[in-house]
Amino acid sequence: MGHEARQGQRTLLAGLAGVLLGVLVTASVLSGETFRRQTADASDIAYVPVERMTLPVMGASGPQSYVVVAFTLEVPRTRRAWVRKRVPAVRHAVNEAAWQSSLVAESADRLDIEAMRAALLVAARSALGPSNVRQVRILTAVPV
């Protein structure tokens, strides 16, 4: 087998491994998210979804690859409607943060989910204020 064919197979296998990792992360996060939603009904917490976004994984010379991420904002129940109206501002802040830093890259082939969550939280709080966003819950994070 030629060098190019082996490299193509490795690239395909790496892509499949990334997709499988995304599926596993999504499954574990969604099961925890369901429990949180059930228990949040009795408290003052509400969740505001943010639609999927494609964000760059930045390297020294620009984007290395991309990741598709969907997340929810954990907010005070009394601020849910206010936050929903401002989701475009959150999306803008996240995009801006992603292009200005290595938002989600632990390395070229590995996502750091906790670092991604922390960066999304900082961006959301910068757009809405720290008292309006308690936490960010990542629903899916799939490298593409």
Side-chain angles (χ1 to χ4, degrees):
M1 208 185 267
H3 176 70
E4 292 177 359
R6 281 193 299 266
Q7 187 158 351
Q9 286 180 338
R10 287 185 193 130
T11 302
L12 179 62
L13 288 174
L16 288 173
V19 169
L20 288 175
L21 175 64
V23 168
L24 289 173
V25 167
T26 300
S28 66
V29 169
L30 286 178
S31 64
E33 189 66 23
T34 301
F35 175 76
R36 280 188 215 91
R37 282 190 184 143
Q38 290 170 351
T39 56
D41 288 338
S43 69
D44 69 335
I45 297 172
Y47 293 93
V48 176
V50 177
E51 291 182 30
R52 288 184 305 184
M53 299 179 69
T54 302
L55 301 174
V57 178
M58 300 301 284
S61 62
Q64 296 178 26
S65 62
Y66 294 87
V67 62
V68 176
V69 63
F71 58 97
T72 62
L73 305 173
E74 183 179 299
V75 302
R77 186 170 299 283
T78 58
R79 302 297 283 171
R80 181 188 338 190
W82 185 88
V83 169
R84 274 189 182 153
K85 291 178 185 174
R86 288 159 180 82
V87 166
V90 172
R91 293 175 60 84
H92 176 73
V94 168
N95 261 321
E96 203 170 80
W99 282 95
Q100 293 176 2
S101 68
S102 58
L103 177 64
V104 296
E106 182 175 285
S107 68
D109 62 343
R110 188 172 194 166
L111 297 176
D112 184 345
I113 298 296
E114 186 55 31
M116 182 190 312
R117 188 202 60 74
L120 291 171
L121 180 61
V122 168
R125 284 181 173 169
S126 73
L128 302 175
S131 63
N132 293 312
V133 180
R134 292 183 177 172
Q135 198 56 259
V136 169
R137 307 290 180 196
I138 296 176
L139 301 176
T140 59
V142 181
V144 290

